[in-house]
Amino acid sequence: MSYQNILVETKGRVGIIRLNRPQALNALNQALMAELTQAVQAFDADDAVGCMLLTGSEKAFAAGADIKEMADKSFIDAYGGNFAADWHGIAQARKPVVAAVAGFALGGGCEIAMQCDIIIAADTAKFGQPEIKLGVIPGIGGTQRLTRAVGKAKAMDLVLTGRNMDAAEAERAGLVARVVPAASLMDEAMKVAETIAGMSLPSVLAGKESVNAAFESSLAEGVRFERRIFHSLFATEDQKEGMKAFVEKRKPDWKNK
Ligand SMILES: CCCCCCCCCCCCC[C@H](O)CC(=O)SCCNC(=O)CCNC(=O)[C@H](O)C(C)(C)COP(=O)(O)OP(=O)(O)OC[C@H]1O[C@@H](n2cnc3c(N)ncnc32)[C@H](O)[C@@H]1OP(=O)(O)O
């Protein structure tokens, strides 16, 4: 598959997607998002891939949705065309997606980073939802995922003032898992992705699904859901291999089933 707006490669069991619209700081347009969704779906379906990694450039992970593409659209264009209804492909992936963020992750750029499961940020990263400065608000999950990630106070601050937060503030706030020197961002993010890709795939899929269930259910229901998934993993060969390997003091040889 050849793409115009993204670069795609596989390293070991990690599927890597790099946004590639440097002339517009990786601004997200319809064409880029269609390619990104296609690449994510392809890696999700590829048995040779256990984890995905999404990244941009040194200057910009993504500077938001493409303002020039949106500027002249009408309400009927947006509402009638159901803009962005199909911009949730990352969040719909079953396999984990690690975001390696350097530079600007603004608006839709911050939103697609939050659709990922783990954000590893370079110390140069800047996160924000500046849509209010354009007379709009976030449109692909920003007000919902940011509030769940950092809490109402900081989400309101960012959404209503349009200010950015740097990597350190984003880590303190709980948006970012780790902050690393910009020069080692890809190495560190790849270590995370390779570690996940080296685990038994059924338990990785189950772990992601169970953590995400916390956003959609009460504590009691979530605990019950998690327990059922925990029970179900005892039907896998990998649970037997994983626990046997521990007892025999050796590394497990996962079969991903
Ligand atoms: C059927 C057809 C449908 C078509 C519409 C489909 C829409 C689908 C729905 C989308 C839903 C998205 C929802 C999302 O929440 C909305 C947004 O994300 S709105 C955008 C939010 N982002 C921003 O406001 C940031 C804008 N950028 C900046 O503030 C600055 O560029 C910067 C990041 C602070 C960097 O500043 P500088 O270093 O000075 O760099 P420049 O500004 O000179 O930028 C360089 C170059 O890149 C272009 N560019 C940058 N950001 C964008 C952008 N978001 N869209 C388009 N182009 C961008 C900039 O114009 C420069 O280009 P040049 O002028 O040199 O040609």
Side-chain angles (χ1 to χ4, degrees), residues 48-153:
V49 169
C51 186
M52 292 178 241
L53 186 151
L54 175 65
T55 193
S57 67
E58 281 183 26
K59 180 169 183 183
F61 176 75
D66 190 319
I67 298 167
K68 296 164 187 169
E69 187 177 65
M70 293 187 288
D72 298 331
K73 300 300 178 190
S74 68
F75 164 74
I76 286 304
D77 290 332
Y79 183 66
N82 203 13
F83 278 2
D86 55 350
W87 284 30
H88 297 267
I90 299 168
Q92 289 158 4
R94 295 192 67 209
K95 292 173 185 172
V97 187
V98 176
V101 178
F104 296 111
L106 303 178
C110 186
E111 291 171 294
I112 62 169
M114 292 193 289
Q115 286 190 34
C116 297
D117 301 288
I118 300 172
I119 300 177
I120 308 296
D123 46 18
T124 58
K126 296 213 180 327
F127 299 87
Q129 300 289 172
E131 291 88 343
I132 199 136
K133 294 179 177 176
L134 305 169
V136 292
I137 67 166
I140 49 173
T143 62
Q144 304 306 303
R145 290 195 174 90
L146 191 62
T147 305
R148 284 162 174 79
V150 305
K152 174 191 165 186

Side-chain angles (χ1 to χ4, degrees), residues 156-217:
M156 282 288 194
D157 180 7
L158 290 166
V159 168
L160 298 184
T161 68
R163 77 171 178 90
N164 298 342
M165 61 179 173
D166 66 15
E169 183 183 3
E171 184 184 30
R172 287 196 304 272
L175 179 65
V176 163
R178 307 183 202 179
V179 180
V180 299
S184 56
L185 175 65
M186 278 306 285
D187 286 348
E188 293 304 318
M190 273 299 288
K191 282 179 194 165
V192 175
E194 285 164 346
T195 299
I196 295 169
M199 300 295 178
S200 163
L201 184 60
S203 57
V204 166
L205 298 179
K208 172 170 173 171
E209 184 179 8
S210 195
V211 169
N212 280 333
F215 292 116
E216 310 290 347
S217 51

